[in-house]
Amino acid sequence: MDHPILLLLSVAFAVAAAVWGRSAMRLQKVAGRAEREFGRTSDAATVARSSFRKDVHSTVLYGVLSLVTLTGAFLDRGTIWLLTLCLIPVVVSVVYGRDFVRDSRLAESRLELERRAEEVLSQEDLAPKRWAERLAPEDLPDISGFEVGRVYQAGTGLMAGDFYDVFRVAPTRVAAVIGDVTGHGIEPSITAFQAKYLLRVFLRQFRDPAQALEELNAQLSALGRAEEMISLCVVVCDTDAGTIRYASAGHPAVWLWHEKDVRPLRSTGPLLMLDPSGTYHSRELRLDPGDLVLLYTDGLSEARAGDQLFGEERIANAIRRDPGADPDVLVKSLLEQARDFARQPITDDIAILALRRD
């Protein structure tokens, strides 16, 4: 061996190649994760791939230099001054080698931060949808003896204020509930959630829905939210007695298809939370097999075409045209009719619920 120093240089270059290679391997994993989690065209993936390519290039460069100097150890002495210039990148790599690894770790940390930020934003986007699913669920339990149709369209508000519910209160009695809290935002949405689940308790406690509304009104009024009010209707179907008993707290007319005609079930008391001592009444009507009850919130009847409202009569006529329609088809058809009628996008929440006795 003519030039032992070149052998040392070759070892130094090999060490530098190993440093860059270690960084490249880490960045390759980071780039792969970035592509999987954020997409190949995302900023995080682009930066990670760029850093990876840079480190691969440096790894190859130092690997080649290591081979060149190893070969140069057996060359003529006149070439030694050229090979000595290779000391410059070696010094740089030795000085900044730790920084290279640190930077790759920082890139990995940045990816982790971006991933967590994406998760937070995703949760913020999903929160209103998840909340709406609690208030107006797409999936309702199967109620033996009844066909149920429901549809919900969110308005422009961040959180929903409309809600509906269908559940058994006794082996032969089924309750259908629909309600609408005034205002928009998180507070009315929380009130809607409270009203929905408190009413479940009170309807099992009181056979008369009017008593359940009075208890609900007293409980909600005690919260001291003077700016909030709730319109709500409860219909309790008794298959044993063949009747429905309903009570309405200032809610838009519910429609009943019975004896080949449709009739409105009007309000039987004031809006909830309007008067803490408000009184409510219930009414009882026949419910025969094939009869249909349609409940909705005012976003449907108040869909606008200029100064004209979609209105109650169009809703009643939709039932008259095809009273035997599947409840799920009926509610979706009504929503489409309202959308077609409105000249501008509907900004209010719309909830529609239909219940037919088999």
Side-chain angles (χ1 to χ4, degrees), residues 144-146 168 171-174 237-243 287 357:
S144 177
F146 290 89
R168 284 198 179 276
T172 63
R173 291 188 295 129
V174 173
C237 308
D238 190 325
T239 55
D240 191 28
T243 62
L287 185 72
R357 184 182 176 187

PDB file of all heavy atoms in Angstrom, residues 144-146 168 171-174 237-243 287 357:
ATOM      1  N   SER A 144     -92.029  -3.193  16.195  1.00  0.00           N
ATOM      2  CA  SER A 144     -92.993  -4.177  15.701  1.00  0.00           C
ATOM      3  C   SER A 144     -94.392  -3.565  15.643  1.00  0.00           C
ATOM      4  O   SER A 144     -94.853  -2.919  16.590  1.00  0.00           O
ATOM      5  CB  SER A 144     -92.995  -5.408  16.618  1.00  0.00           C
ATOM      6  OG  SER A 144     -93.959  -6.332  16.195  1.00  0.00           O
ATOM      7  N   GLY A 145     -95.057  -3.755  14.503  1.00  0.00           N
ATOM      8  CA  GLY A 145     -96.411  -3.227  14.329  1.00  0.00           C
ATOM      9  C   GLY A 145     -96.453  -1.870  13.666  1.00  0.00           C
ATOM     10  O   GLY A 145     -97.545  -1.342  13.402  1.00  0.00           O
ATOM     11  N   PHE A 146     -95.273  -1.272  13.367  1.00  0.00           N
ATOM     12  CA  PHE A 146     -95.233   0.056  12.760  1.00  0.00           C
ATOM     13  C   PHE A 146     -94.153   0.126  11.672  1.00  0.00           C
ATOM     14  O   PHE A 146     -93.117  -0.534  11.760  1.00  0.00           O
ATOM     15  CB  PHE A 146     -94.928   1.131  13.807  1.00  0.00           C
ATOM     16  CG  PHE A 146     -96.040   1.364  14.782  1.00  0.00           C
ATOM     17  CD1 PHE A 146     -96.116   0.621  15.953  1.00  0.00           C
ATOM     18  CD2 PHE A 146     -97.029   2.302  14.534  1.00  0.00           C
ATOM     19  CE1 PHE A 146     -97.143   0.813  16.859  1.00  0.00           C
ATOM     20  CE2 PHE A 146     -98.060   2.503  15.434  1.00  0.00           C
ATOM     21  CZ  PHE A 146     -98.120   1.761  16.602  1.00  0.00           C
ATOM     22  N   ARG A 168     -90.502   2.573  22.395  1.00  0.00           N
ATOM     23  CA  ARG A 168     -91.608   1.969  23.140  1.00  0.00           C
ATOM     24  C   ARG A 168     -91.615   2.498  24.570  1.00  0.00           C
ATOM     25  O   ARG A 168     -90.570   2.558  25.214  1.00  0.00           O
ATOM     26  CB  ARG A 168     -91.478   0.447  23.166  1.00  0.00           C
ATOM     27  CG  ARG A 168     -91.871  -0.207  21.858  1.00  0.00           C
ATOM     28  CD  ARG A 168     -92.148  -1.697  22.034  1.00  0.00           C
ATOM     29  NE  ARG A 168     -92.541  -2.303  20.774  1.00  0.00           N
ATOM     30  CZ  ARG A 168     -93.782  -2.284  20.291  1.00  0.00           C
ATOM     31  NH1 ARG A 168     -94.744  -1.701  20.988  1.00  0.00           N
ATOM     32  NH2 ARG A 168     -94.060  -2.853  19.131  1.00  0.00           N
ATOM     33  N   PRO A 171     -95.307  -2.261  26.404  1.00  0.00           N
ATOM     34  CA  PRO A 171     -95.418  -3.308  25.372  1.00  0.00           C
ATOM     35  C   PRO A 171     -96.379  -2.971  24.241  1.00  0.00           C
ATOM     36  O   PRO A 171     -96.153  -3.376  23.092  1.00  0.00           O
ATOM     37  CB  PRO A 171     -95.897  -4.527  26.170  1.00  0.00           C
ATOM     38  CG  PRO A 171     -95.358  -4.305  27.549  1.00  0.00           C
ATOM     39  CD  PRO A 171     -95.428  -2.822  27.764  1.00  0.00           C
ATOM     40  N   THR A 172     -97.456  -2.231  24.529  1.00  0.00           N
ATOM     41  CA  THR A 172     -98.449  -1.917  23.485  1.00  0.00           C
ATOM     42  C   THR A 172     -98.483  -0.433  23.133  1.00  0.00           C
ATOM     43  O   THR A 172     -99.373  -0.005  22.406  1.00  0.00           O
ATOM     44  CB  THR A 172     -99.862  -2.353  23.928  1.00  0.00           C
ATOM     45  OG1 THR A 172    -100.239  -1.611  25.098  1.00  0.00           O
ATOM     46  CG2 THR A 172     -99.894  -3.842  24.217  1.00  0.00           C
ATOM     47  N   ARG A 173     -97.539   0.357  23.649  1.00  0.00           N
ATOM     48  CA  ARG A 173     -97.547   1.796  23.379  1.00  0.00           C
ATOM     49  C   ARG A 173     -96.195   2.248  22.817  1.00  0.00           C
ATOM     50  O   ARG A 173     -95.141   1.905  23.362  1.00  0.00           O
ATOM     51  CB  ARG A 173     -97.875   2.592  24.640  1.00  0.00           C
ATOM     52  CG  ARG A 173     -99.327   2.394  25.094  1.00  0.00           C
ATOM     53  CD  ARG A 173     -99.711   3.335  26.217  1.00  0.00           C
ATOM     54  NE  ARG A 173     -98.946   3.059  27.421  1.00  0.00           N
ATOM     55  CZ  ARG A 173     -98.279   3.985  28.119  1.00  0.00           C
ATOM     56  NH1 ARG A 173     -98.273   5.241  27.730  1.00  0.00           N
ATOM     57  NH2 ARG A 173     -97.622   3.634  29.213  1.00  0.00           N
ATOM     58  N   VAL A 174     -96.268   3.042  21.752  1.00  0.00           N
ATOM     59  CA  VAL A 174     -95.083   3.567  21.071  1.00  0.00           C
ATOM     60  C   VAL A 174     -95.184   5.091  21.030  1.00  0.00           C
ATOM     61  O   VAL A 174     -96.232   5.646  20.670  1.00  0.00           O
ATOM     62  CB  VAL A 174     -94.969   3.011  19.640  1.00  0.00           C
ATOM     63  CG1 VAL A 174     -93.824   3.692  18.881  1.00  0.00           C
ATOM     64  CG2 VAL A 174     -94.769   1.506  19.664  1.00  0.00           C
ATOM     65  N   CYS A 237     -98.884   6.118  20.486  1.00  0.00           N
ATOM     66  CA  CYS A 237     -99.780   5.174  19.812  1.00  0.00           C
ATOM     67  C   CYS A 237    -100.009   3.957  20.701  1.00  0.00           C
ATOM     68  O   CYS A 237     -99.042   3.322  21.133  1.00  0.00           O
ATOM     69  CB  CYS A 237     -99.178   4.729  18.477  1.00  0.00           C
ATOM     70  SG  CYS A 237     -98.675   6.087  17.387  1.00  0.00           S
ATOM     71  N   ASP A 238    -101.271   3.637  20.934  1.00  0.00           N
ATOM     72  CA  ASP A 238    -101.630   2.484  21.757  1.00  0.00           C
ATOM     73  C   ASP A 238    -102.262   1.439  20.838  1.00  0.00           C
ATOM     74  O   ASP A 238    -103.422   1.584  20.407  1.00  0.00           O
ATOM     75  CB  ASP A 238    -102.609   2.906  22.856  1.00  0.00           C
ATOM     76  CG  ASP A 238    -102.834   1.814  23.894  1.00  0.00           C
ATOM     77  OD1 ASP A 238    -102.829   0.630  23.509  1.00  0.00           O
ATOM     78  OD2 ASP A 238    -103.016   2.154  25.078  1.00  0.00           O
ATOM     79  N   THR A 239    -101.535   0.386  20.531  1.00  0.00           N
ATOM     80  CA  THR A 239    -102.040  -0.625  19.605  1.00  0.00           C
ATOM     81  C   THR A 239    -103.117  -1.487  20.243  1.00  0.00           C
ATOM     82  O   THR A 239    -103.971  -2.043  19.544  1.00  0.00           O
ATOM     83  CB  THR A 239    -100.886  -1.526  19.127  1.00  0.00           C
ATOM     84  OG1 THR A 239    -100.207  -2.083  20.257  1.00  0.00           O
ATOM     85  CG2 THR A 239     -99.902  -0.737  18.301  1.00  0.00           C
ATOM     86  N   ASP A 240    -103.106  -1.607  21.547  1.00  0.00           N
ATOM     87  CA  ASP A 240    -104.118  -2.399  22.238  1.00  0.00           C
ATOM     88  C   ASP A 240    -105.471  -1.687  22.201  1.00  0.00           C
ATOM     89  O   ASP A 240    -106.507  -2.291  21.890  1.00  0.00           O
ATOM     90  CB  ASP A 240    -103.687  -2.653  23.678  1.00  0.00           C
ATOM     91  CG  ASP A 240    -104.572  -3.691  24.367  1.00  0.00           C
ATOM     92  OD1 ASP A 240    -105.117  -4.554  23.661  1.00  0.00           O
ATOM     93  OD2 ASP A 240    -104.699  -3.632  25.600  1.00  0.00           O
ATOM     94  N   ALA A 241    -105.444  -0.361  22.473  1.00  0.00           N
ATOM     95  CA  ALA A 241    -106.687   0.419  22.469  1.00  0.00           C
ATOM     96  C   ALA A 241    -107.047   0.915  21.071  1.00  0.00           C
ATOM     97  O   ALA A 241    -108.188   1.334  20.835  1.00  0.00           O
ATOM     98  CB  ALA A 241    -106.545   1.613  23.417  1.00  0.00           C
ATOM     99  N   GLY A 242    -106.076   0.876  20.130  1.00  0.00           N
ATOM    100  CA  GLY A 242    -106.326   1.381  18.781  1.00  0.00           C
ATOM    101  C   GLY A 242    -106.489   2.883  18.759  1.00  0.00           C
ATOM    102  O   GLY A 242    -107.343   3.430  18.038  1.00  0.00           O
ATOM    103  N   THR A 243    -105.660   3.593  19.552  1.00  0.00           N
ATOM    104  CA  THR A 243    -105.773   5.051  19.648  1.00  0.00           C
ATOM    105  C   THR A 243    -104.402   5.710  19.586  1.00  0.00           C
ATOM    106  O   THR A 243    -103.372   5.045  19.747  1.00  0.00           O
ATOM    107  CB  THR A 243    -106.434   5.467  20.980  1.00  0.00           C
ATOM    108  OG1 THR A 243    -105.604   5.032  22.070  1.00  0.00           O
ATOM    109  CG2 THR A 243    -107.824   4.877  21.109  1.00  0.00           C
ATOM    110  N   LEU A 287    -106.739   5.243  15.927  1.00  0.00           N
ATOM    111  CA  LEU A 287    -105.618   4.895  15.064  1.00  0.00           C
ATOM    112  C   LEU A 287    -105.837   3.473  14.577  1.00  0.00           C
ATOM    113  O   LEU A 287    -105.627   2.512  15.318  1.00  0.00           O
ATOM    114  CB  LEU A 287    -104.279   5.004  15.811  1.00  0.00           C
ATOM    115  CG  LEU A 287    -103.050   4.759  14.920  1.00  0.00           C
ATOM    116  CD1 LEU A 287    -102.832   5.931  13.969  1.00  0.00           C
ATOM    117  CD2 LEU A 287    -101.803   4.539  15.756  1.00  0.00           C
ATOM    118  N   ARG A 357     -99.215   2.632  11.226  1.00  0.00           N
ATOM    119  CA  ARG A 357     -99.566   1.396  11.911  1.00  0.00           C
ATOM    120  C   ARG A 357     -99.829   0.311  10.871  1.00  0.00           C
ATOM    121  O   ARG A 357    -100.569   0.522   9.915  1.00  0.00           O
ATOM    122  CB  ARG A 357    -100.810   1.582  12.795  1.00  0.00           C
ATOM    123  CG  ARG A 357    -101.139   0.332  13.584  1.00  0.00           C
ATOM    124  CD  ARG A 357    -102.390   0.489  14.419  1.00  0.00           C
ATOM    125  NE  ARG A 357    -102.708  -0.773  15.075  1.00  0.00           N
ATOM    126  CZ  ARG A 357    -103.822  -0.992  15.763  1.00  0.00           C
ATOM    127  NH1 ARG A 357    -104.736  -0.038  15.878  1.00  0.00           N
ATOM    128  NH2 ARG A 357    -104.038  -2.167  16.320  1.00  0.00           N
TER     129      ARG A 357
END
